[in-house]
Amino acid sequence: MKKSIAKNYIYNLIYQMLTVLLPLIIIPYLSRILGAENIGIYGYTVSVVTYFILFGTLGVSMYGQREIAYKGEDKKARSKAFYEIVILRTVTLSISILLFYLIYGRSGEYAIYYKILIIQMIGYMFDISWLFQGMEEFDKTVVRNVVVKAISLVLTFTVVKTEGDLWKYFVIFTSAELIGNMTLWVYLPKYLQKVKIKELEIKKHMKPILSLFIPQIAIQIYTVLDKVMIGEITKNMTEVGYYDQAQKIVTATLTVVSALQIVMNSRIANAYSVKDEKEIKLCLEKSFNFVWFLAIPMMFGMMGIATKFVPWFYGEGFDGVSSILIATAPIVLIMGLNGITGTQYLVQTGKQNIFTKSVTIGAIVNIILNIILIKYFGAIGAAIASIIAEIVILGTQLKYVKQQFSIIHILKLSIKCLISGIIMYIVVNLLSHYLSVGIINTAIEIIAGVVVYLVMLLLLKYQFLIDVIKQVLDGLKKSKTKISQS
């Protein structure tokens, strides 16, 4: 039975936002307590461990979600696939943890932080969110994680008090991830059944997992390696701190845009397994409309409020974040589109070789540009390199998506959003010149931007927004009817 896309989007949005926004809430506090250099150390060491997690998990989340979606309502096949994937990932992660400890954990300037980060790596052994995403049971990943993340938030405010408490934040961050993942296992008896060990075929997953693992490495190059390269090239952890904080804002914004992607992944994979081309095309059109509608105003909004937002949000010593945030903002739109053309269409319809090719090209472009641009422009150079790499990836993927949609049609869907977004940016930018730095004035800018954007879309008769409003109104009418009848 298919679940509601809108309902699953809301559940997944809550889950994704929790993983990003709760740490984001404490940024103003941490930036003032720990300082830019410690924030840079945090960003640098987490970037390093991310690669070992990547090699340990082999990109199982993307593969696992797709495989579970392919199984549909077949509980035995689902259970078999689940146990096979979990066992394989446990072995590879164990090897990765050992190598990480031997290389980074035994000694060195940041050894204490690397030892603590092993907790995070263990946490990934218990991460089975991909199972519930594949079954479109997104609500199961939300409630328990709300509690765990909320507790970690409270602990951060109560335990981290001085610059020397950076290690305590590491412990809170990694432990919350481990506990949050472990709590999901209580739901397994409802969705899985026992499988005999002799029935398991672990080896058969190696080839398809590796085919998705290569693009995962490439993706991580321009989403994580940039911080490592900034640190190595500039030898300035403060610069890494600026970049890391700007990326947190961008990631939080991108989370809202990409939350629908994870929901649609399962829907498209299921449609592909039964050769339902009409459903695939319908899902893709919804996704493109959704990304244009949300990503354009978010991109222009970040660019418009950055100079007045950063000073009060981060406090003293973080002025460098503003320019990086403005330079990075377009990546929200580009990566939103890439999520549709890449993981949503190419991967879910078995065209991962094309996906691999596109992101590998993008990764190579990113590395070359990082080496050139970081040397002269620091963190801003890394931001520019990432944007160019994403554009290259999008351009490569679009020619394959035209099997379902023409590029002209995709671009036409954006025109009214683009016009409204530009006008919104002009209004917000004008307000920014007259308003002083402060949380209330930033709120005024954001509210004004949202109102201008939506009013412009209504004046331009943007059908996607009109349909959304109609659905909301219909939902409210049905709710009132049920209440009156009860």
Side-chain angles (χ1 to χ4, degrees), residues 47-87:
S47 297
V48 171
V49 77
T50 297
Y51 283 100
F52 284 85
I53 290 172
L54 175 67
F55 279 94
T57 57
L58 296 175
V60 157
S61 291
M62 186 186 296
Y63 173 76
Q65 180 185 355
R66 189 185 70 178
E67 286 303 296
I68 296 299
Y70 281 168
K71 304 310 181 215
E73 298 298 318
D74 190 335
K75 191 173 183 178
K76 183 175 181 179
R78 180 201 305 151
S79 303
K80 187 169 177 289
F82 172 80
Y83 289 118
E84 289 165 349
I85 293 170
V86 165
I87 292 171

Side-chain angles (χ1 to χ4, degrees), residues 111-241:
I112 179 64
Y113 306 124
Y114 288 129
K115 284 185 177 74
I116 298 170
L117 284 168
I118 290 175
I119 298 173
Q120 183 187 18
M121 299 182 75
I122 295 171
Y124 271 85
M125 287 186 179
F126 295 93
D127 179 21
I128 54 171
S129 55
W130 48 271
L131 169 69
F132 299 101
Q133 290 166 356
M135 295 186 296
E136 298 189 46
E137 294 284 351
F138 289 88
D139 57 319
K140 299 297 183 295
T141 59
V142 175
V143 178
R144 289 177 178 269
N145 279 282
V146 169
V147 177
V148 173
K149 299 291 184 183
I151 291 172
S152 69
L153 185 68
V154 173
L155 284 173
T156 300
F157 283 121
T158 54
V159 174
V160 181
K161 296 293 185 180
T162 67
E163 284 189 13
D165 290 338
L166 177 61
W167 70 272
K168 295 179 182 178
Y169 180 62
F170 271 91
V171 172
I172 293 168
F173 159 73
T174 55
S175 299
E177 194 155 335
L178 171 61
I179 295 169
N181 289 338
M182 290 176 68
T183 55
L184 292 175
W185 286 68
V186 300
Y187 295 111
L188 292 187
K190 180 180 177 181
Y191 299 100
L192 301 178
Q193 64 184 51
K194 292 182 179 180
V195 178
K196 294 180 181 178
I197 296 177
K198 64 181 181 181
E199 295 179 352
L200 299 178
E201 301 172 274
I202 298 172
K203 289 183 180 179
K204 74 176 184 179
H205 295 285
M206 285 301 300
K207 186 175 179 180
I209 282 179
L210 288 174
S211 70
L212 285 177
F213 176 55
I214 295 172
Q216 287 293 299
I217 295 174
I219 290 170
Q220 289 296 326
I221 284 176
Y222 52 84
T223 57
V224 179
L225 184 62
D226 44 11
K227 281 177 277 191
V228 177
M229 292 186 75
I230 292 168
E232 293 298 322
I233 294 173
T234 67
K235 305 297 181 184
N236 186 342
M237 284 301 164
T238 300
E239 191 78 0
V240 178

Side-chain angles (χ1 to χ4, degrees), residues 9-22:
Y9 168 72
I10 292 171
Y11 278 127
N12 190 52
L13 177 62
I14 293 171
Y15 175 69
Q16 296 297 325
M17 290 296 283
L18 276 172
T19 61
V20 176
L21 280 185
L22 285 181

